[in-house]
Amino acid sequence: MDLDALLQGHRDAVNVRKIYGDPVEQDGVTLVPAAKVFGGTGGGGDAEGDGGAGFGLIGRPVGAYVMKGEDVKWVPAIDVNRIIGLAFLVGLVFALKR
């Protein structure tokens, strides 16, 4: 197991390019997408030198910066699945209280 290579891979994977996407320009408007990124690294081994390691990332969009001229506006992403899940949970709580 090459721990330095693993950590370098993690550093390369978790960088600002994973959080802010490439700006997109059209008709005088620039859009910079943003995401929330979580990651973790772990590994282990035994006395015989056997072991392993790995890392993982997960991300979801959170919104975008919209720039037009001198105006900059944050536009949050709407996660429809999260809204539906929350509405279901609230409905379930009310149903169980009856």
Side-chain angles (χ1 to χ4, degrees):
M1 166 176 57
D2 185 359
L3 186 58
D4 289 333
L6 174 69
L7 292 175
Q8 184 58 46
H10 183 60
R11 282 189 291 272
D12 291 343
V14 181
N15 62 48
V16 72
R17 304 299 288 164
K18 300 294 185 215
I19 298 169
Y20 296 103
D22 292 329
V24 178
E25 294 183 48
Q26 185 174 352
D27 299 328
V29 177
T30 302
L31 180 94
V32 180
K36 183 181 283 189
V37 179
F38 300 94
T41 303
D46 59 18
E48 286 82 38
D50 298 322
F55 70 92
L57 295 174
I58 187 168
R60 65 178 190 87
V62 294
Y65 287 102
V66 179
M67 296 171 275
K68 185 173 184 179
E70 297 291 318
D71 296 329
V72 178
K73 180 171 67 170
W74 171 253
V75 179
I78 298 173
D79 188 346
V80 176
N81 290 331
R82 184 175 280 190
I83 293 169
I84 291 171
L86 183 59
F88 176 77
L89 184 61
V90 168
L92 184 62
V93 167
F94 282 117
L96 291 175
K97 283 190 170 189
R98 291 183 174 193

